[in-house]
Amino acid sequence: DARVTQTPRHKVTEMGQEVTMRCQPILGHNTVFWYRQTMMQGLELLAYFRNRAPLDDSGMPKDRFSAEMPDATLATLKIQPSEPRDSAVYFCASGGAGDLSYEQYFGPGTRLTVT
Amino acid sequence: AQKVTQAQTEISVVEKEDVTLDCVYETRDTTYYLFWYKQPPSGELVFLIRRNSFDEQNEISGRYSWNFQKSTSSFNFTITASQVVDSAVYFCALSGNSGYALNFGKGTSLLVTP
């Protein structure tokens, strides 16, 4: 049963600390997305990659957030320095090639709390 | 710009009732995709259906059915004979020509009571 995995599932950190979230997409999927869910904003896109190249990161605060795909099996989202307003659930999703990129499968999310 | 509106914030029904979740979308794209996702209390997002803009056939999967009407820009979701396990937040989403990213509605929280 292929699934997207995310680590850690929960993270509590203090303001100013660096946070790294990791995602392993479904094997064979070449499109990876990062979304953030908050009560106020709902689900919003932060960035996405195709074949490890960033295609759109316009939803990401550039000064503190960065997203990378070091290889096809790992995507990372970093926040440095973290702020209380970054508290949210961060979801990674992956999609297949071509038209199948539209069908996205989500990981369980990382619940981040910044105090 | 793309927009998805789920006007129903919360719905409460008694088990075995039928319930329809509304979704209205806006897009200038000629080709687009519509989706429904389920988010149960455990928090994960579960893919339910994808429909492309050229296929207006309604779809039925077990107790779930979807009604896509381009004339009214709506993609409504009906659960027949609801069950307690259907309690969740349901999201409608849209993706278009500009890329694969999903634009989500705010979600409808469905509570099914015994």
Side-chain angles (χ1 to χ4, degrees):
Chain A
D1 187 20
R3 295 189 181 201
V4 175
T5 58
Q6 289 184 250
T7 57
R9 294 292 309 277
H10 302 272
K11 176 73 175 179
V12 180
T13 191
E14 292 183 350
M15 183 173 64
Q17 297 298 305
E18 177 178 303
V19 175
T20 298
M21 291 169 270
R22 294 176 175 81
C23 167
Q24 183 172 15
I26 292 173
L27 190 64
H29 281 188
N30 70 342
T31 314
V32 175
F33 305 80
W34 285 104
Y35 292 88
R36 175 170 65 182
Q37 185 176 31
T38 61
M39 289 296 293
M40 293 298 295
Q41 301 297 327
L43 278 156
E44 52 184 351
L45 176 75
L46 295 175
Y48 79 97
F49 295 77
R50 190 192 311 162
N51 294 325
R52 296 174 56 200
L55 288 190
D56 184 352
D57 61 1
S58 58
M60 215 162 57
K62 299 292 192 303
D63 56 338
R64 300 183 299 108
F65 284 58
S66 62
E68 295 180 345
M69 277 201 76
D71 61 61
T73 64
L74 177 64
T76 62
L77 179 66
K78 290 185 182 180
I79 309 174
Q80 169 63 23
S82 57
E83 296 180 3
R85 59 180 166 152
D86 300 329
S87 297
V89 180
Y90 291 81
F91 287 101
C92 174
S94 72
D99 194 45
L100 292 176
S101 296
Y102 287 105
E103 205 162 291
Q104 298 173 27
Y105 293 89
F106 283 73
T110 293
R111 182 174 295 276
L112 174 65
T113 303
V114 183
T115 61
Chain B
Q2 299 186 336
K3 185 178 178 182
V4 175
T5 302
Q6 295 180 255
Q8 304 150 308
T9 306
E10 295 180 353
I11 299 176
S12 183
V13 299
V14 177
E15 208 170 18
K16 296 182 184 166
E17 284 185 18
D18 298 348
V19 57
T20 295
L21 310 181
D22 297 334
C23 173
V24 174
Y25 63 92
E26 296 175 30
T27 181
R28 289 198 179 97
D29 293 339
T30 53
T31 301
Y32 53 89
Y33 292 83
L34 294 161
F35 304 80
W36 278 94
Y37 282 83
K38 174 183 180 180
Q39 187 173 42
S42 52
E44 73 268 29
L45 281 158
V46 179
F47 169 81
L48 295 179
I49 190 171
R50 178 188 74 167
R51 172 68 70 208
N52 75 49
S53 53
F54 297 110
D55 183 1
E56 286 194 69
Q57 276 192 326
N58 292 331
E59 180 152 342
I60 298 175
S61 176
R63 296 183 299 106
Y64 295 172
S65 62
W66 291 269
N67 182 271
F68 176 30
Q69 292 197 341
K70 285 180 79 169
S71 60
T72 56
S73 297
S74 65
F75 186 45
N76 296 336
F77 173 30
T78 297
I79 302 174
T80 303
S82 59
Q83 300 176 359
V84 172
V85 293
D86 296 327
S87 296
V89 180
Y90 291 85
F91 292 95
C92 181
L94 168 69
S95 184
N97 286 342
S98 57
Y100 300 110
L102 296 172
N103 291 284
F104 284 91
K106 294 297 187 186
T108 296
S109 178
L110 173 65
L111 177 64
V112 182
T113 55

